[in-house]
Amino acid sequence: MEQKEDKLKEVISHAKEYGFVFPSSEIYDGLAATYDYGQLGSELKNNIKSYWWKSMVQMHDNIVGIDASIFMHPTTWKASGHVDAFNDPLIDNKDSKKRYRADVLIEEHIEKIRQKIEKEVEKGSKKFGDSFDEAQFRVTNPNVLRNAQKIEEIENRMRQTLEDNDLEGVYNLIVDLEIVCPISGSKNWTEVRQFNLMFSTELGSVAGDASTIYLRPETAQGIFVNFLNVQKSGRMKIPFGIAQIGKAFRNEIVARQFIFRMREFEQMEMQFFVRPGEEMKWYEYWKETRSNWHKKLGLGDHNYRFHDHIKLAHYANAAADIEFNFPMGFKELEGIHSRTDFDLKQHEQFSGKKLQYFDPELNQNYVPYVVETSVGLDRMFLAVLSASYKNEKLEDGSERAVLSIPAALAPIKVAVMPLTKKDGLPEKAMEVLNLLKFDYNCQYDEKDSPGKRYRRQDAIGTPFCVMIDHQTMEDNTVTIRDRDTMEQIRVAISELNGIIDQKVNIRTLLQ
Ligand code: GAP
């Protein structure tokens, strides 16, 4: 656990030192759970957006993208259920005065039991060696079975109490499980209360209920209210999707773990409109497609897993998370939700406007069902940054901090360097940079020794360094150094584009 926390701390400090992420308004001591992306962070963020947009919108001829406003008519949120049901069950520890999400406390307790099972399996594997049959062990070992049953009982009780909005039941479950506050170690809990997560503000100068509007807590509703606009103006045929990238806001009570849980964050969402009855087929399709999208980044397939929701959101009939192995452990990165026709039907009812599709093949009008993919851009950023950050021991005994960011996402693709600051080398280096900058985000660097400059570029994840030396002046060749292998080869300047493009072009991820 301590090791994991250390890793997160290292990532946070590296992100700040090199201009990826800063605490927001830091000169005023910051604002809790808000962060600013720096000069390299905003490049990385843009590249992640571009990977998502290209693969979702440009690579699918039946998906289009929009950019809806953050403020929406307040009835939107009444219809979507967010005014009444977008709540977190909260509980306070009276001794530490810390506030927790009650369901998260219970889920963490379940995770501990799960870890006990894994330890038991590990013990079995060590004991029986090659003859170990894990599947058999999991269904016969008494300790594993007892713990698995415990988990099932807790999950059932949690699901039931949350579904029934039985807050006393949730409290009793926490007490029965003897869950203690991680800070104070005490079981001195308050009752459980519901807390709405939407930020509200006033429209114009008149205060009062009539002018209360909300900062959108999800981008999805901007898509639902535009369903017919897009369908008609784009002559879209079902099945089709509408995608959007944009800010969302939630008054998270337990906002922590760096950019993982913030009050202002960005989502990349896509609503896929399908025929009623076909939603489960598309739900499975998008689970697989999105999982492949993540794995293509090469951060390690073992770092991803699916988690089926126990408590379904008020709009869903099936939902799963793609979890990523963050420095804090496996946590939600993306949600895939089968949202039924809930949202469109609600908007029909509250607006009095029909939101239906005429299906020419069925010769029938219907309200489409929706399968949604929703990934947090900031969580993607944290996944890429934390999985790429390494402190490597090199063969010569030295160390280097390196960000092995997927080359296509790297903030800077090429650093161009003159070996020395004289003999016309800087001018030649600028000439090379001026050739490359039309295609790649480049950086010029002439300060310090070449070794130090290479380390600086490794630390920000630059896939290539191009060195201009005295031979360049004679035969127009340069050395190009690969971030990952640290190998340098001499090539003609005219070959640079081809070599760089092969590795950093976003096509490498999309194909
Ligand atoms: N439209 C569906 C929806 O909003 P969600 O599971 O609440 O579903 C989707 O959120 C994704 O948005 C999450 O998987 C996560 O990546 C991201 N997300 C949610 N709350 C966040 C927060 N407070 N900070 C950063 N990212 C968040």
Side-chain angles (χ1 to χ4, degrees):
M1 187 65 185
E2 213 166 86
Q3 233 177 356
K4 284 179 174 172
E5 274 171 18
D6 285 353
K7 169 89 195 263
L8 183 63
K9 275 191 199 149
E10 272 181 51
V11 171
I12 295 171
S13 105
H14 192 86
K16 184 171 176 215
E17 185 180 347
Y18 288 94
F20 283 85
V21 184
F22 307 123
S24 172
S25 33
E26 195 186 10
I27 57 167
Y28 295 104
D29 295 332
L31 179 69
T34 41
Y35 289 90
D36 297 339
Y37 288 86
Q39 65 279 18
L40 294 182
S42 44
E43 293 287 345
L44 173 56
K45 213 172 162 195
N46 281 340
N47 294 341
I48 297 173
K49 281 192 211 180
S50 180
Y51 173 40
W52 186 85
W53 191 268
K54 280 192 157 78
S55 69
M56 296 298 276
V57 179
Q58 280 168 239
M59 306 299 285
H60 287 96
D61 55 13
N62 60 348
I63 300 182
V64 291
I66 64 164
D67 185 9
S69 59
I70 288 171
F71 289 137
M72 301 182 69
H73 192 286
T75 311
T76 309
W77 305 110
K78 204 61 199 143
S80 68
H82 284 83
V83 171
D84 297 319
F86 194 52
N87 300 320
D88 271 349
L90 298 181
I91 188 164
D92 292 14
N93 183 269
K94 290 183 196 164
D95 297 319
S96 68
K97 310 270 183 274
K98 283 275 166 198
R99 183 162 288 177
Y100 300 92
R101 267 178 57 181
D103 55 331
V104 171
L105 277 182
I106 299 167
E107 267 167 10
E108 282 173 356
H109 183 84
I110 292 173
E111 187 54 35
K112 280 188 194 145
I113 305 176
R114 215 167 255 134
Q115 277 164 17
K116 278 188 193 162
I117 295 181
E118 294 315 311
K119 275 218 175 106
E120 199 67 39
V121 173
E122 219 179 291
K123 251 172 51 194
S125 161
K126 273 196 190 136
K127 191 169 160 197
F128 296 110
D130 285 347
S131 61
F132 183 60
D133 180 345
E134 186 179 326
Q136 180 70 9
F137 188 83
R138 283 185 187 273
V139 291
T140 50
N141 179 278
N143 288 339
V144 171
L145 287 177
R146 201 184 51 250
N147 280 320
Q149 195 188 341
K150 247 192 218 168
I151 290 178
E152 199 185 326
E153 280 166 15
I154 299 171
E155 284 183 343
N156 283 342
R157 241 179 106 181
M158 177 160 94
R159 185 186 304 115
Q160 200 57 55
T161 48
L162 289 173
E163 268 171 21
D164 297 348
N165 202 15
D166 170 12
L167 299 182
E168 203 183 329
V170 179
Y171 171 84
N172 288 337
L173 183 54
I174 288 174
V175 171
D176 292 351
L177 294 174
E178 302 190 352
I179 292 176
V180 297
C181 164
I183 308 282
S184 67
S186 90
K187 298 178 216 157
N188 198 5
W189 297 109
T190 62
E191 61 189 19
V192 178
R193 282 156 301 128
Q194 290 288 18
F195 179 87
N196 193 284
L197 297 181
M198 282 198 295
F199 283 104
S200 62
T201 186
E202 306 295 333
L203 186 69
S205 56
V206 194
D209 266 2
S211 58
T212 297
I213 55 168
Y214 300 96
L215 295 182
R216 67 181 176 197
E218 61 169 7
T219 58
Q221 297 304 325
I223 292 177
F224 287 122
V225 298
N226 278 300
F227 159 70
L228 264 195
N229 282 338
V230 174
Q231 191 272 320
K232 285 197 184 316
S233 59
R235 289 175 290 122
M236 308 300 290
K237 288 201 170 61
I238 271 180
F240 74 90
I242 305 178
Q244 162 159 242
I245 299 176
K247 290 263 184 183
F249 304 82
R250 294 181 191 177
N251 199 358
E252 300 279 3
I253 288 310
V254 195
R256 57 182 173 177
Q257 291 166 333
F258 193 34
I259 52 173
F260 180 82
R261 194 179 300 286
M262 294 192 289
R263 301 204 166 97
E264 173 184 343
F265 57 99
E266 247 173 297
Q267 290 186 315
M268 305 190 284
E269 297 201 298
M270 192 275 302
Q271 317 299 130
F272 201 67
F273 300 91
V274 304
R275 275 186 190 157
E278 292 191 355
E279 71 275 15
M280 288 325 277
K281 177 180 91 184
W282 288 110
Y283 173 67
E284 294 303 331
Y285 168 86
W286 282 110
K287 267 175 81 173
E288 195 190 328
T289 305
R290 293 301 305 151
S291 166
N292 291 341
W293 181 90
H294 287 284
K295 289 179 180 167
K296 267 263 161 128
L297 287 173
L299 304 179
D301 289 6
H302 59 283
N303 282 323
Y304 299 90
R305 71 180 188 196
F306 280 113
H307 168 77
D308 292 316
H309 282 205
I310 299 175
K311 186 200 172 208
L312 291 174
H314 57 273
Y315 49 71
N317 70 356
D321 295 336
I322 297 174
E323 293 188 337
F324 183 76
N325 192 8
F326 287 100
M328 318 78 81
F330 274 97
K331 302 245 177 233
E332 175 185 346
L333 173 61
E334 167 154 5
I336 319 287
H337 312 125
S338 173
R339 288 181 82 129
T340 68
D341 56 359
F342 175 86
D343 300 86
L344 288 179
K345 277 226 164 112
Q346 288 289 105
H347 287 306
E348 274 200 327
Q349 192 189 325
F350 278 76
S351 68
K353 313 260 163 44
K354 277 217 173 328
L355 293 174
Q356 300 194 356
Y357 171 78
F358 176 72
D359 193 324
E361 280 173 36
L362 300 181
N363 197 22
Q364 190 184 315
N365 275 309
Y366 54 77
V367 177
Y369 271 48
V370 172
V371 175
E372 159 184 79
T373 72
S374 174
V375 57
L377 176 54
D378 312 271
R379 288 192 190 175
M380 270 306 296
F381 186 103
L382 183 57
V384 170
L385 199 69
S386 58
S388 303
Y389 175 76
K390 286 168 203 128
N391 257 312
E392 283 182 355
K393 259 216 159 17
L394 303 179
E395 273 174 15
D396 64 3
S398 63
E399 276 188 26
R400 70 163 183 166
V402 59
L403 287 181
S404 53
I405 298 176
L409 301 187
I412 293 176
K413 305 292 194 253
V414 197
V416 183
M417 314 168 167
L419 184 64
T420 64
K421 283 193 229 173
K422 44 186 204 235
D423 304 331
L425 299 186
E427 290 75 12
K428 187 72 181 168
M430 284 310 292
E431 235 179 72
V432 174
L433 186 135
N434 284 334
L435 273 180
L436 297 175
K437 73 178 181 193
F438 290 96
D439 296 306
Y440 315 106
N441 196 20
C442 301
Q443 196 173 71
Y444 177 80
D445 193 0
E446 60 171 28
K447 200 169 172 286
D448 300 321
S449 69
K452 272 196 180 158
R453 282 183 266 169
Y454 285 151
R455 290 289 169 275
R456 256 201 309 268
Q457 295 300 328
D458 289 343
I460 60 172
T462 308
F464 290 112
C465 291
V466 169
M467 185 66 80
I468 278 71
D469 55 18
H470 291 91
Q471 196 177 326
T472 313
M473 307 304 273
E474 287 165 21
D475 62 6
N476 265 329
T477 63
V478 293
T479 62
I480 180 163
R481 175 188 179 269
D482 183 293
R483 174 194 71 197
D484 302 322
T485 62
M486 290 187 285
E487 270 171 18
Q488 296 174 37
I489 52 168
R490 184 163 282 278
V491 300
I493 290 173
S494 57
E495 290 176 275
L496 280 177
N497 227 313
I499 296 172
I500 297 165
D501 190 72
Q502 230 178 27
K503 193 156 171 182
V504 310
N505 197 310
I506 201 148
R507 216 184 297 122
T508 56
L509 297 177
L510 297 171
Q511 270 164 351

